[in-house]
Amino acid sequence: FEKMRTEHIKSLRKLSAERKNVEGKLSRRNVVADYSSFASQVYAPETRVGVFLDRGSELYNVKNRYLNTYEGLLELEASLPDYVTQPRIKIPNLRSGKGGAQKRFD
C-alpha cells in the first residue's frame, strides 16, 4: 500500500510540473531566488507535501534517570561542587575612587 501511495505522489508531482511548463519552454532554476524566498520549498519545506523532517526524532531524546526523577535531580545536585550551587558574588566598593558608579550615586 505504501509503495502505491509513493508512486501516486510521484505521478502527481510530475503532472503538476508538466502543467507549469505548458508551452514547453526550458527555464533554468534560480537557486539564489529559491533559497532567499521565505515561501519556497527549499527554504522551509511544507510538511503536507510528504516530507516531515522531524519524524522519528523521539528516538534521540535523552532518557536519563537523573533528569526523569526528583531523586535523580537531588543526586545530580549533590554531586556538583559548592561554587556552582552557591556562587560568591563580591559587591564592588562604590566609595573608592571617582568612577562612573560613584558619580551616579552622588
Side-chain angles (χ1 to χ4, degrees):
F1 183 71
E2 189 67 31
K3 187 175 180 181
M4 288 174 31
R5 182 173 175 254
T6 55
E7 291 296 324
H8 178 69
I9 290 172
K10 278 184 185 180
S11 62
L12 287 178
R13 287 181 185 156
K14 285 180 184 179
L15 286 174
S16 66
E18 288 176 7
R19 282 188 200 142
K20 287 180 185 177
N21 194 8
V22 174
E23 298 175 4
K25 293 181 181 177
L26 294 176
S27 61
R28 293 192 145 230
R29 178 179 168 209
N30 191 351
V31 178
V32 175
D34 287 347
Y35 278 92
S36 63
S37 171
F38 295 123
S40 73
Q41 280 293 111
V42 178
Y43 185 84
E46 296 174 353
T47 57
R48 67 174 179 256
V49 174
V51 178
F52 186 57
L53 300 176
D54 287 342
R55 185 181 357 191
S57 64
E58 62 273 356
L59 297 174
Y60 302 108
N61 286 345
V62 177
K63 297 175 182 120
N64 192 341
R65 70 179 180 95
Y66 292 116
L67 300 177
N68 292 338
T69 62
Y70 181 70
E71 290 80 15
L73 283 175
L74 290 177
E75 186 179 341
L76 188 64
E77 185 179 347
S79 68
L80 293 173
D82 284 338
Y83 67 88
V84 174
T85 58
Q86 299 168 357
R88 292 181 215 119
I89 300 172
K90 184 177 179 183
I91 300 172
N93 187 3
L94 297 177
R95 295 295 174 195
S96 64
K98 283 287 186 187
Q102 177 65 34
K103 290 177 185 176
R104 284 193 299 267
F105 285 111
D106 284 343

